[in-house]
Amino acid sequence: MSRKLFALLIFASLMLGACGGAATPTIRIGINAPLTGDIPKVGEGTKFSAEMWLEENGGTITVGGTEYPVELVIEDNESKGESAAAVNTKLITQDEVHVIVGPQSSKQAVPAGGVANDQKTPMISPWSTNPNTTLDRPWVFRTPFLDPFQGPVVANFVTDEFGFTKAGVLYDVASDYPKGLAEFFKSGWEDIHGPDSVVAFESFTTGDADFSAQLTNIMNAGAEFIFTPQYYNEVALIVQQAHELGFEGPIVGSDSWGSAETVELCGEDCYGLFFSTHYAAEGATGATKAFIDKYNENYGYVPDDVGALTWDALNIVKQAIQDCGEITGDLEADRLCIRDAMANIEEFPGITGNMTFTEEGDPIKCAVIVRISEEGLFTFYKQVCP
Amino acid sequence: MTTNSASTPTIRQRIRALFSRIWEPYRSVPLLGWLIAALVAVGLEQLVGLPLARGLGLTKIPALFGAVVILSKPALTPSALLFTTLIYILPIGIVARFTAPLTNRIAAKLAEYPLVVTALVHLVLLYAVLHIWCDITDYRLLVARLAMISIILTLSLNVVNGYMGEFSCSHPGFMSIGAYVASAFTIVLFVSENRFGEALLPPALGPYMFPLALMLGGLISAFGALLVAIPSFRTRGDYLAIISLAFMFIVKSFFENMEVVGGARGISNQPDYATLPIVFLWTILSIWIINNFVRSTMGKALNAVRDGELAANAMTVDTRKTKMTAFLFAAFWAGVAGGLFAHVLRYINPDSFGIRKLAEVLAMVYFGGLNSVTGSVVGAVGLSLISEALRPLDIFKWIIIPIMLILIMIYRPTGLIAFTEFNVEKIFLPKGRAPEGAEHASA
């Protein structure tokens, strides 16, 4: 300890002697993204959104009348938990960022959140839905709504819209997001229609491509519709195979459907289907439309929810920094100030809906039900609020 | 330097000659000398590193010898290089060289004591270097701990893939068994408000019981290995590879479907027991025990099995028992590594122990060298550090590392340092045989 103090003293005297007046401190924002690994598309969306955000803000944030330069430190976590933790440690101790945006998926966000919380640095994950990411971690926030909310939203929507009573569920047991959501949907559905109203609860394992056995079981059990919280590549296969087997009812999905690839792979089979998500790209207005148009213009495709949620996370960070009132250059004080400001944000007008954080750092926000139109576009259908 | 006067030496020869002239005085530096020199360097960094870094225009002390700085901000390359030279290369070079007579004398003295004493002195020094080096930033601390866990894992896989000459793919599976068992053990016993209920024992006891948790993880991994070994050791080569690969997926699926330990969501909130000294101790322990194992009669029998199972059998080697023991032994250490990994990261999920982990460990084994303890250490530390240092390159990292592996496979098909014996007694000895120096220069 005394050695550190000694080194610090030397450094302090050196700084005083050499620099004289201190320049305006730079605000550093760390981006912890999966640029390589299993889900590079997610990493790309994060990176593009962040770069666009920086450009939009002209590389500065004005706090209390002073303009501070902003620097983004984008690091790759290879879509691995241990790398995400290492990246967070590096961002916090080496790059001395004020706040971290990311990581995206829960398997990286949970260990990385632990690091951020231990090192007292605010972190906001734009995409992670695992409760453990923010649980008992005052320094960690997120922007998506949680699965315990989304599950019942879908259950209620199907009940109101179609009046069905018998549900079939098909999900990936080896992937934490679909599995969690399938279970929350099941309990939400059974709350409304009573036990055993989910007539078929079928699972498969990541990488499977033939779902005919499970789909046959679901059809034989007499399910009126299928809920499948899967990713785009599986959605296409599931929907097409269900139709080939002669399933007539609707197939309903969750926010993981919200990728441009879904329609591309699935084609006409997916037209007319519904899913719940964070925002609807088609028919958007105001800030959401401005974001989508700009992104489309810069990078040539309509952003999926990761891009939009990252955009919101960065704007929440900006809001928190501005609410903070002053950036002193004392890293610890600034980080605390940003955290407190973030926790106190109320009714933040994001492009994925208005957000207020709970004590756990999870947002209270509305979900959107999207219908895939006959042109294959994601059109706004309905908004469901908690 | 009076080399063959007839033909002028080529550039390559001249560089080699220059290099060996610089290297010459260091031939007589014992391990002790290097350790003391490293200690001086890290101490120097601790004392003047920060002002020096600031003076050179760097914001912080470069964490990994400047590699990250050079790759992410190329403009600062001279500063980073200068920093590394001033803090590491020069002090280590000077101290190692000029204390050589002294350290040689100490090493000679130490050689008179039992090996344990000599080894302890060196280990304490090594730990001191590591501790002070990691004290600069938490980033180094995490990288160092993960690298040491990789050492255990690589070494244990080398027992099977190197010494035994089989191709086993189930190591991530063993690792995950160890990780889950150790996590469940510590969480059930010492973490209050966990998923299993209240803590059963006072948390203060936790750190003392941690070795037990790791060993239990290791033992259950070894039991898992028994389940693979019984059916699969009737086969060899590709078949074992396939069966062990299947085992890895079975274990992964098993944990994905076990709701008690969080299923695919994984399990978090492991207590922070895997600190630097603990990980260091276990790493040293694993190197020591595995090294003894492979140099024992059993280890020789293992090599005999690798070179010809029938021949070994004819020479009275109990091949089945030998193979079983080695496989279970390797699985035990993989389990221990998994337990440490879980407590460093404090979160595990089945997905962490999949095919990507397998690729990582296999790369470390084949990069470092088959059938060699030193090779495994070099492979694990080398790949961990390279992978961390190249992080700023994003996708290009995954072009550079594979190219490196391909080059190694072309020029050194068995790895960097393969088929060597790690003789503990020999490395501590003083190195005073100077007279052969002149020979080396022209060689």
Side-chain angles (χ1 to χ4, degrees):
Chain A
M1 202 57 218
S2 61
R3 262 186 182 165
K4 267 187 192 162
L5 214 71
F6 181 52
L8 219 79
L9 274 177
I10 296 184
F11 155 57
S13 53
L14 224 87
M15 280 296 276
L16 282 174
C19 308
T24 8
T26 305
I27 297 172
R28 284 192 204 83
I29 301 174
I31 311 276
N32 189 342
L35 299 175
T36 64
D38 297 339
I39 43 171
K41 200 81 185 160
V42 170
E44 185 189 272
T46 316
K47 192 176 160 196
F48 285 169
S49 238
E51 282 169 353
M52 210 174 95
W53 177 84
L54 190 69
E55 192 192 306
E56 179 106 343
N57 283 291
T60 56
I61 293 181
T62 309
V63 186
T66 324
E67 210 173 62
Y68 294 94
V70 178
E71 190 190 328
L72 290 181
V73 188
I74 302 177
E75 288 279 348
D76 171 32
N77 62 31
E78 304 158 52
S79 183
K80 287 197 311 201
E82 64 264 41
S83 290
V87 164
N88 255 21
T89 318
K90 176 177 177 292
L91 288 173
I92 293 166
T93 58
Q94 287 307 111
D95 300 311
E96 303 197 314
V97 297
H98 288 85
V99 47
I100 292 168
V101 175
Q104 302 290 14
S105 29
S106 295
K107 69 175 171 183
Q108 292 119 47
V110 176
V115 171
N117 197 53
D118 290 345
Q119 310 251 15
K120 302 208 181 337
T121 305
M123 166 180 135
I124 179 164
S125 170
W127 210 44
S128 158
T129 51
N130 189 329
N132 284 336
T133 307
T134 56
L135 194 68
D136 294 327
R137 288 172 178 170
W139 292 83
V140 184
F141 301 83
R142 71 172 108 216
T143 51
F145 43 68
L146 284 179
D147 303 338
F149 166 67
Q150 191 177 182
V153 161
V154 179
N156 285 327
F157 164 75
V158 174
T159 312
D160 296 346
E161 187 70 24
F162 301 109
F164 292 153
T165 52
K166 285 189 242 164
V169 178
L170 178 58
Y171 69 100
D172 178 358
V173 73
S175 184
D176 72 338
Y177 164 80
K179 180 161 184 259
L181 191 50
E183 277 159 8
F184 286 116
F185 170 81
K186 184 172 184 241
S187 67
W189 185 261
E190 288 181 341
D191 281 347
I192 306 172
H193 301 282
D196 298 330
S197 54
V198 175
V199 291
F201 198 64
E202 295 288 326
S203 66
F204 62 93
T205 306
T206 320
D208 285 1
D210 179 15
F211 308 100
S212 44
Q214 290 94 328
L215 288 167
T216 312
N217 281 349
I218 291 174
M219 285 163 66
N220 290 344
E224 289 163 299
F225 75 102
I226 300 172
F227 174 63
T228 183
Q230 288 311 127
Y231 294 100
Y232 56 86
N233 45 356
E234 292 143 345
V235 170
L237 293 170
I238 291 169
V239 173
Q240 284 164 353
Q241 289 176 16
H243 287 168
E244 273 164 29
L245 289 169
F247 185 75
E248 303 273 309
I251 296 168
V252 184
S254 61
D255 60 318
S256 51
W257 283 35
S259 160
E261 306 277 316
T262 309
V263 176
E264 209 155 285
L265 292 172
C266 185
E268 282 185 27
D269 281 294
C270 278
Y271 294 174
L273 299 185
F274 294 93
F275 63 92
S276 66
T277 188
H278 308 273
Y279 87 122
E282 190 59 28
T285 52
T288 316
K289 185 169 166 41
F291 164 75
I292 293 166
D293 289 348
K294 188 133 192 277
Y295 191 103
N296 201 353
E297 188 187 307
N298 280 356
Y299 306 112
Y301 63 95
V302 173
D304 44 27
D305 53 351
V306 177
L309 287 165
T310 307
W311 181 266
D312 269 356
L314 281 159
N315 277 325
I316 287 172
V317 165
K318 181 183 168 191
Q319 173 89 47
I321 291 172
Q322 284 173 338
D323 287 353
C324 194
E326 189 191 15
I327 296 298
T328 55
D330 172 7
L331 206 57
E332 270 178 38
D334 289 341
R335 282 174 178 167
L336 181 66
C337 177
I338 293 171
R339 189 219 85 88
D340 290 345
M342 206 182 279
N344 288 326
I345 284 177
E346 267 180 37
E347 285 296 305
F348 173 82
I351 58 173
T352 62
N354 289 2
M355 283 173 249
T356 304
F357 288 112
T358 64
E359 244 169 60
E360 285 297 347
D362 303 328
I364 304 169
K365 64 195 285 193
C366 300
V368 172
I369 303 288
V370 161
R371 181 173 181 276
I372 303 177
S373 72
E374 269 63 39
E375 288 82 45
L377 299 171
F378 296 160
T379 48
F380 176 87
Y381 190 75
K382 198 175 179 184
Q383 192 176 39
V384 186
C385 291
Chain B
M1 293 294 306
T2 49
T3 36
N4 311 352
S5 50
S7 61
T8 44
T10 61
I11 295 177
R12 206 176 146 176
Q13 275 170 332
R14 242 185 285 174
I15 290 174
R16 197 173 275 182
L18 181 75
F19 184 75
S20 65
R21 204 163 40 179
I22 295 174
W23 187 242
E24 202 41 58
Y26 295 101
R27 285 187 186 284
S28 59
V29 176
L31 184 66
L32 193 70
W34 290 114
L35 283 175
I36 288 175
L39 192 63
V40 170
V42 290
L44 200 65
E45 183 181 45
Q46 180 78 258
L47 285 173
V48 298
L50 196 57
L52 180 69
R54 300 267 175 173
L56 288 171
L58 305 163
T59 42
K60 299 224 83 183
I61 295 175
L64 299 172
F65 311 110
V68 177
V69 176
I70 292 171
L71 293 175
S72 55
K73 292 182 188 128
L76 289 174
T77 306
S79 306
L81 288 180
L82 194 61
F83 183 89
T84 312
T85 313
L86 285 178
I87 291 290
Y88 291 104
I89 300 178
L90 279 186
I92 289 183
I94 292 169
V95 173
R97 182 171 179 172
F98 292 103
T99 55
L102 179 72
T103 45
N104 264 324
R105 239 177 304 154
I106 301 176
K109 263 260 158 52
L110 278 173
E112 293 164 13
Y113 291 97
L115 185 62
V116 190
V117 181
T118 326
L120 269 183
V121 171
H122 284 82
L123 284 178
V124 166
L125 273 175
L126 180 62
Y127 179 73
V129 171
L130 199 64
H131 188 97
I132 299 174
W133 188 72
C134 291
D135 198 36
I136 300 279
T137 137
D138 280 354
Y139 179 51
R140 281 182 182 175
L141 187 65
L142 186 67
V143 171
R145 285 187 293 170
L146 289 176
M148 284 193 284
I149 291 170
S150 300
I151 293 180
I152 307 182
L153 207 60
T154 310
L155 258 180
S156 64
L157 186 61
N158 210 343
V159 171
V160 181
N161 284 29
Y163 289 91
M164 194 159 100
E166 293 289 356
F167 196 89
S168 161
C169 297
S170 46
H171 248 55
F174 299 141
M175 192 184 173
S176 71
I177 295 178
Y180 269 95
V181 170
S183 299
F185 185 87
T186 52
I187 289 178
V188 167
L189 291 183
F190 306 112
V191 179
S192 46
E193 289 178 48
N194 61 54
R195 55 186 311 121
F196 309 107
E198 278 304 303
L200 298 178
L201 290 172
L205 271 176
Y208 303 101
M209 302 276 274
F210 186 50
L212 211 64
L214 292 178
M215 299 222 312
L216 194 69
L219 286 175
I220 296 186
S221 285
F223 179 72
L226 193 65
L227 296 185
V228 200
I230 291 171
S232 62
F233 274 1
R234 294 181 187 284
T235 67
R236 287 210 73 174
D238 301 347
Y239 302 101
L240 178 72
I242 292 166
I243 294 178
S244 56
L245 192 64
F247 177 77
M248 187 191 86
F249 282 114
I250 291 171
V251 173
K252 185 167 167 273
S253 286
F254 173 76
F255 286 119
E256 271 160 359
N257 287 288
M258 285 287 287
E259 228 13 83
V260 205
V261 288
R265 286 232 142 137
I267 182 167
S268 63
N269 281 334
Q270 284 88 341
D272 192 11
Y273 293 154
T275 51
L276 187 67
I278 297 293
V279 179
F280 180 79
L281 269 179
W282 278 95
T283 310
I284 295 303
L285 203 66
S286 80
I287 295 177
W288 181 53
I289 295 180
I290 294 179
N291 190 43
N292 278 351
F293 178 81
V294 297
R295 296 179 71 202
S296 67
T297 322
M298 186 69 99
K300 300 301 169 207
L302 213 53
N303 276 353
V305 170
R306 179 196 62 201
D307 295 337
E309 197 167 344
L310 274 179
N313 213 351
M315 299 298 283
T316 71
V317 173
D318 185 346
T319 51
R320 195 169 165 78
K321 187 182 147 211
T322 310
K323 282 160 74 181
M324 283 278 195
T325 319
F327 198 61
L328 265 60
F329 179 74
F332 172 83
W333 283 107
V336 170
L340 286 169
F341 178 81
H343 287 81
V344 166
L345 213 57
R346 302 175 68 193
Y347 169 73
I348 43 167
N349 67 352
D351 200 46
S352 320
F353 306 105
I355 199 100
R356 293 216 294 160
K357 192 97 217 165
L358 176 68
E360 206 180 298
V361 195
L362 283 175
M364 282 173 184
V365 171
Y366 290 93
F367 175 80
L370 287 174
N371 215 86
S372 156
V373 171
T374 340
S376 288
V377 176
V378 169
V381 174
L383 267 194
S384 301
L385 288 186
I386 289 171
S387 151
E388 204 56 52
L390 294 183
R391 194 184 291 287
L393 294 180
D394 292 352
I395 196 83
F396 295 106
K397 175 174 146 182
W398 297 114
I399 298 174
I400 293 174
I401 292 180
I403 287 182
M404 230 168 56
L405 284 172
I406 291 171
L407 289 180
I408 291 215
M409 287 302 110
I410 292 175
Y411 292 105
R412 301 190 78 113
T414 45
L416 279 181
I417 310 170
F419 298 99
T420 50
E421 258 200 14
F422 181 53
N423 190 334
V424 185
E425 280 169 67
K426 216 169 141 193
I427 61 163
F428 295 142
L429 285 181
K431 295 183 180 170
R433 284 158 286 124
E436 34 174 18
E439 298 292 312
H440 282 291
S442 54

